[in-house]
Amino acid sequence: MSRPQSSSATDQQVAQLRQQFAKLESESNARFEAAQQSIKQNRQVWLSLKQQNKDLKQEVSKRGATASRDAGKSQVDRTIEKLEKEVHELRRQYDKIMQEKKTAVSKLDNLQDSVRELSKAPAGAAGGTRAGSARDSAGSREAREMRVLENRLDKALMKCNEAQSIRRTYEQ
């Protein structure tokens, strides 16, 4: 009978060992599955990072190409701006010269009127008609005022044209 006890003790030990083995096997399977899951997640992260890296490289290459084109444009833009400034300066000089010309023409007209008045004054004094010379001087005053007003108008028109020219330059 000692054998059945030993057999039952051995059976119990075998059962315990089988339970421990099953427990260890399930733990091992759980660890294996967790490791596989971790590997799978790491692989997905790696693939995602690899794709992002590829996208970023493409973006950098695009921006590099764009930057080189922009550098070319900026040189062209600088040249255009320089030429526009020169055109603007030449336009300003032209307008200034035209204004000086108009002023000189106006002064010439005034001087010619004065010469005419002076040449008429002795003739009127010799004839003895004071009323005629008063009419002439009133007419010449009006003519002079008219020229002054015309000159003012011309100056205002010049300023207006210059302002429009500047506006067109900036709009381009």
Side-chain angles (χ1 to χ4, degrees):
M1 272 199 127
S2 67
R3 186 133 191 153
Q5 282 182 348
S6 69
S7 161
S8 115
T10 325
D11 287 341
Q12 283 180 353
Q13 285 179 344
V14 168
Q16 281 179 345
L17 288 173
R18 283 187 180 165
Q19 284 178 349
Q20 286 177 350
F21 179 74
K23 187 177 181 183
L24 288 173
E25 192 174 305
S26 68
E27 287 176 5
S28 174
N29 285 341
R31 281 190 205 135
F32 177 77
E33 288 175 10
Q36 289 298 322
Q37 183 66 24
S38 176
I39 289 171
K40 186 177 180 181
Q41 287 176 350
N42 288 342
R43 181 172 171 80
Q44 288 175 349
V45 168
W46 177 72
L47 289 173
S48 172
L49 291 174
K50 188 176 178 181
Q51 183 62 38
Q52 285 178 355
N53 189 26
K54 183 178 178 182
D55 294 342
L56 289 173
K57 282 182 180 179
Q58 288 177 349
E59 184 68 26
V60 166
S61 68
K62 284 180 186 177
R63 287 189 181 184
T66 304
S68 66
R69 275 188 274 139
D70 288 344
K73 283 183 180 178
S74 65
Q75 179 64 29
V76 170
D77 288 341
R78 282 183 269 174
T79 304
I80 289 172
E81 288 176 12
K82 182 180 175 185
L83 292 174
E84 285 177 348
K85 286 180 182 178
E86 287 180 26
V87 167
H88 181 67
E89 185 62 32
L90 290 172
R91 180 66 181 201
R92 187 177 290 155
Q93 289 175 359
Y94 172 78
D95 290 343
K96 183 179 177 183
I97 290 170
M98 292 303 292
Q99 183 61 37
E100 290 173 358
K101 176 189 166 221
K102 285 187 178 189
T103 304
V105 168
S106 172
K107 286 181 182 178
L108 179 63
D109 288 342
N110 287 338
L111 290 174
Q112 286 176 346
D113 287 341
S114 296
V115 169
R116 277 190 224 123
E117 285 179 24
L118 290 175
S119 66
K120 287 182 182 180
T129 59
R130 239 178 155 167
S133 68
R135 236 182 296 131
D136 288 341
S137 65
S140 66
R141 283 184 197 147
E142 290 173 357
R144 187 175 296 149
E145 286 180 38
M146 183 67 98
R147 279 192 299 278
V148 168
L149 293 174
E150 286 175 350
N151 288 337
R152 286 182 188 169
L153 177 62
D154 288 340
K155 286 179 185 179
L157 287 173
M158 288 291 290
K159 287 181 181 179
C160 179
N161 289 336
E162 184 177 349
Q164 288 176 346
S165 171
I166 291 169
R167 183 187 56 139
R168 275 188 246 119
T169 301
Y170 286 118
E171 286 177 351
Q172 293 175 354

